[in-house]
Amino acid sequence: MSGSAVLLQFLNGLAGASSLFLVAAGLSLIFGVSRIVNFAHGSLFMLGMYLAVWLAERFGFWASVPLAAVAVGALGALIEILLLRRIYRAPELLQLLATFALVLLIKDFALWAWGPEDMLGPRAPGLAGAVGIAGRQFPQYELFLIVLGPAVFAALHFLLTRTRFGVLIRAATEDREMVGALGVNQRWLFTTVFALGAALAGLGGALAIPREPANLEIDLGIVSDAFVIVVVGGLGSIPGAFLAALLIGEVKAFCVGFGLAEITLAAEFIVMAVVLVLRPWGLLGRPLHEARAAAAGELHAPTRLMLALPLALIVVPLVSDAYTLVLLTDVFVFALFAVSLHFLLGPGGMVSFGHAAYFGLGAYAAALLVLRWQLPMELALLAAPLAALAGAALFGWFCVRLSGIYLAMLTLALAQIVWSVAFQWDAVTGGSNGLVGVWPAAWLASKPAYYLLTLALGTLGIACLWRIVGSSFGYALRASRDSPLRAEAVGIDVRAQQWTAFIVAGTFAGLAGALAAFSKGSISPETLSVPRSVEGLVMVLLGGVNALSGPVLGAAIFTWLEDLVSREIAYWRAALGAVILLLVLVRRWSFR
Amino acid sequence: MKSKALFLIILASIALPAFGQASVKIGELNSYKVFPAFLEPYKKGMELAVEEINRSGGVKLQLVSRDDGGTPGDAVRVAEELIARERVNALMGTFASNVGLAVSNLAAQRKILFLASEPLTDKMVWENGNRYTFRLRPSTYMQTAMLVPEAAKLKKRRWAIVYPNYEYGQSATASFKKLLSEAQPGVEFVAEQSSPLNKIDAGAVVQALAEAKPDAIFSSLFAADLQKFVREGNTRGLFKNTAVFNLLGGEPEYLDPLKDETPEGWWVTGYPWSEINTPEHKAFRDAYQKRWMDYPRQGSVVGYAAVHALAHAVRKARSTDSEKLVEALKGLQMQTPFGPIVWREIDHQSTMGAYVGQLARKGGKGTMVNWRYADGAKFQPSDQAVRALRRE
């Protein structure tokens, strides 16, 4: 690359960094004060985009930007008052589920309001052209963004360090109970911070419309970018977010500049994994002050009815049609997957955003063993979980050194890296197409036979996991979760317990993946993508974390709902979101 | 007497489903939520065809349409539902390559006809081709091959390439490099940029391409990526002295959103719907506009022709049995809005073509000029090469 090329890619990186910073700053503020991991932050960004495109047609681009930001901020205040305020005391995971429900609702709202097609905004009047820099043409609008990012940073910095409001925010980030005890009106503080964070997301979205069409897929893309930046920078740290945005913006631009397409897909996740391994609390973060959360509740054992269920299910092939068997096969696969995730997340106390990696490793291993090494299918099915075991052992070793949201984000990063390898490594994994022709052996090929196989192995796997929870290892694991300090004191090697839990959970997820591969006949990178991990989380949370049988129920409900509702209702995501919200608000669902 | 009655019963049981009441159930699945810009018009095209066929009598079509969720795993489940619960006679649809290949593989396993209407991947009919899968649209290879003669004519030496990083973009790029090198020995490929689908970092990509100082660019971008690429490229002056070839760029689905930013002079494959005045296309366009109060897109033609193809197959087979439908589709000749096509026996690819032309702006809108129809039959590798690829 020539000098001028480096300069221009550097400027491209700066412009990208500014956009990223706006979203990440809002997320970081919200997390710092309310400890809520706002999954819906990307949805607020998306809403900002759509609103700005829509408003720009009526009032012009420059008027639409502040209007969209204010509108999204107002919506943020509403969300805080109507929803989040009621669940601050609920476990973190419940809050996560609630904001995930918002993602679903907002996506379908945008679909309903603006239709499915991408909407590119107008160019910014006055800044539509380009200026000559080092003999190249560089867009004026990008220069504007380059200036704007630091300007917003400076304004936020001023707000946080020089005003009373800022002092309160920082105090609340440090210790929110203490702020409350000193007589500060927390409600008002939380609402304002959430509205401010939402407005920043809306502003980011509105400013993006000349460069990027508003589309329905952007919400999850942006929120994962924002998470990465917030975590790399250190949770709750605005300067950290700024630094991380610069770092990631530049890395992305130079990956393109040097033509490193293979790395572009996972660049930010590689950065995050490296940063977290070296600095467990991000670049400028500090160890989190633990919120004084209630200890995890009692773990309910499955009822006798639940235990008798597999026996009853054996007769299903005699009385049902072939499709019911297909659906139930899916349910068993996901039940095993969800139970393995629950093992990590409930008794293990480690939230994983990347559990699909092990599901996918199992699936790919099964497919490769059959297609490349011509192994008999039965053998491949049993050997495949070993690949997941190896992956979990490797990744778990790094992950258990972290805790809380940092751990969750590292699992996400590692899963994304696995995904991008599967996506890129054409020669082995079949690239984006995946591998086809992964069918069971002849004697298992019929629907009832494969149904019974999945039922048997699924039940066996779930029984194993439940048995482990009740074993002495299971108790040591729960002790490590509830009070690491006391557990260490009585001689439990906390990290060893957690690492083992990681490996066990990964292995059984791998078995679920292998079963899935043979039931579909094909696999592709989506088997180990983020949405699959999120689905797993939703299943676990839907069923309730404090019951061993919860994930089974959750997997059944989710699979059945998805199948039924997606066929019958156009806005099935919104329907699912509404159901989740209702459960969250009305029953605080089996968390008590 | 007894044998005569038996004979009559047998005759009736064969003849009845074949004549008059022949009722066919088509199980259609597609990624309606993921690629709505293409698939909404596609659905309208299908529905128009179903109405036409049912009105004309003879074959009675029933279309059961489902969203396939956009992922292979979900699509396979949806296809299973269509086969097991809806008991459809044939499967049809899919958009993305990975979903298409997964459903095609399932169709072979379950021995049911699958008419892949849209997926472009070459593997569908070659490496992963099977007895039960047929594909309507011109493949990535065919459409690339249609652009190569024009590209070679320009005698540009330095080429840069940009493509979405998944199978379609990768194989378009590979085919283009191979075919152009054959047509114009000594050509150089000076830069290659692949970007994640729907997530192109357009500014950086345009900058990187400009650094390579290419004489010409070959792109297989579409939809949002194309919009972003065009806007950044226009602003940064990338296209000023550079010839650009863009696969699919002339399809109304992707051309219309460009509006007054439509780059003039680009060579594209596409569908100049307002200017094709052959009798078969006029009839289709009129019927479509009358039915939907909207103009047809590329997707409309695909949906329309795919449903008609199945109806033709049922008429020819006089049966709704998948094995017989497969035999009937092999070598079937039929009329489409783009003119007559044949379903090639050798690889189950139809010879439907595409329109090759240049982009231009007219009244703030993008349009195609200097276009001509490229017949799909003429842009195929040799039979020998196809046989080598297709392992049946």
Side-chain angles (χ1 to χ4, degrees), chain A residues 12 136 210 261 439 447 570, chain B residues 33 105 110 194 211 231 236:
Chain A
N12 283 329
R136 310 283 195 287
W439 294 105
K447 287 269 156 303
Chain B
K33 282 264 168 76
N105 194 250
R110 298 268 175 277
S194 67
E211 283 313 317
R231 183 168 279 189
R236 294 174 190 238

Side-chain angles (χ1 to χ4, degrees), chain A residues 224-225 228 248 265-274 409 412-414 416-417 530:
Chain A
S224 83
D225 278 357
V228 168
I248 287 183
L265 279 179
E268 59 195 26
F269 294 101
I270 295 172
V271 171
M272 176 161 80
V274 171
M409 290 308 288
L412 174 72
L414 295 169
Q416 270 310 95
I417 293 169
V530 177

Side-chain angles (χ1 to χ4, degrees), chain B residues 75-187:
Chain B
V76 166
R77 194 187 66 219
V78 170
E80 296 263 27
E81 192 254 347
L82 288 168
I83 298 170
R85 196 166 276 176
E86 296 290 340
R87 302 192 176 283
V88 298
N89 302 106
L91 292 172
M92 183 183 129
T94 73
F95 189 94
S97 307
N98 56 355
V99 177
L101 287 173
V103 173
S104 153
N105 194 250
L106 177 82
Q109 181 81 3
R110 298 268 175 277
K111 302 199 186 322
I112 183 169
L113 173 68
F114 170 48
L115 198 151
S117 44
E118 169 59 24
L120 298 180
T121 174
D122 301 330
K123 294 200 171 89
M124 183 70 83
V125 292
W126 296 345
E127 287 92 333
N128 294 84
N130 62 53
R131 171 177 162 77
Y132 296 89
T133 301
F134 290 77
R135 192 247 310 276
L136 175 67
R137 282 206 74 184
S139 64
T140 312
Y141 173 90
M142 288 161 69
Q143 300 210 37
T144 308
M146 290 169 192
L147 284 177
V148 166
E150 299 299 338
K153 258 188 230 163
L154 297 182
K155 300 256 179 288
K156 301 276 189 190
R157 264 187 74 80
R158 297 168 61 82
W159 282 82
I161 298 183
V162 54
Y163 60 95
N165 189 3
Y166 75 108
E167 213 260 358
Y168 151 75
Q170 290 156 359
S171 59
T173 302
S175 300
F176 184 78
K177 282 161 84 171
K178 182 167 169 285
L179 293 173
L180 188 65
S181 302
E182 285 166 12
Q184 185 192 337
V187 65

Side-chain angles (χ1 to χ4, degrees), chain A residues 13-29 41 45 145-158 160 196-197 199-205 207 211 222 225-230 233-234 236-249 252 284:
Chain A
L14 285 182
S18 282
S19 320
L20 292 173
F21 171 68
L22 288 180
V23 203
L27 187 64
S28 193
L29 270 181
H41 209 66
F45 177 92
L145 286 181
I146 289 174
V147 177
L148 187 82
V152 170
F153 173 54
L156 278 178
H157 195 69
F158 178 82
L160 288 176
L196 178 63
L200 281 172
L203 179 68
L207 285 170
R211 313 169 73 219
I222 284 289
D225 278 357
F227 272 141
V228 168
I229 286 164
V230 168
S237 163
I238 300 293
F242 188 70
L243 198 64
L246 279 183
L247 179 66
I248 287 183
K252 279 185 165 183
L284 298 183

Side-chain angles (χ1 to χ4, degrees), chain A residues 2 4-5 8-9 12 108 111 116-123 128-130 136-140 142 209-213 215 217 221 252-253 256-257 259 261 264-265 321-324 326-327 330 423-424 426 432-434 436-440 445 447 519-522 524-526 559 562-563 566-567 569-573, chain B residues 32-34 36-37 40 66-67 71-74 76-78 80-82 84-87 97-98 101-103 105-106 109-110 121 123 128 163 165-168 170 192-208 210-211 213 223-225 227-228 230-232 234-237 240 253 257 259 261 297:
Chain A
S2 65
S4 57
L8 282 172
Q9 286 301 9
N12 283 329
D108 267 4
L111 176 67
E117 281 178 45
D118 297 354
M119 290 163 59
L120 187 61
R123 292 169 191 243
R136 310 283 195 287
Q137 294 292 306
F138 193 78
Q140 293 164 338
E142 310 265 298
I209 62 165
R211 313 169 73 219
E212 181 121 20
N215 64 75
E217 305 306 313
K252 279 185 165 183
V256 175
T264 316
L265 279 179
D321 68 349
Y323 182 62
T324 308
V326 171
L327 205 58
D330 271 14
F423 192 88
Q424 304 270 356
D426 246 22
S432 59
N433 280 340
V436 292
V438 195
W439 294 105
K447 287 269 156 303
S519 79
K520 303 285 180 198
S522 61
S524 73
E526 46 104 20
T559 311
E562 196 195 8
D563 177 70
S566 66
R567 203 172 332 134
I569 305 174
Y571 297 100
W572 71 273
R573 277 182 295 230
Chain B
Y32 291 102
K33 282 264 168 76
V34 189
E40 292 297 326
R66 296 263 191 273
D67 195 306
T71 64
D74 284 343
V76 166
R77 194 187 66 219
V78 170
E80 296 263 27
E81 192 254 347
L82 288 168
R85 196 166 276 176
E86 296 290 340
R87 302 192 176 283
S97 307
N98 56 355
L101 287 173
V103 173
N105 194 250
L106 177 82
Q109 181 81 3
R110 298 268 175 277
T121 174
K123 294 200 171 89
N128 294 84
Y163 60 95
N165 189 3
Y166 75 108
E167 213 260 358
Y168 151 75
Q170 290 156 359
E192 213 175 295
Q193 282 287 333
S194 67
S195 48
L197 178 64
N198 277 333
K199 284 186 195 148
I200 190 172
D201 187 350
V205 166
V206 165
Q207 202 64 54
E211 283 313 317
K213 303 200 173 55
D225 288 338
Q227 285 184 48
K228 283 155 76 176
V230 166
R231 183 168 279 189
E232 284 291 334
N234 277 337
T235 314
R236 294 174 190 238
K240 240 177 235 157
E253 287 86 340
K259 294 180 199 149
E261 293 172 54
R297 319 294 207 279

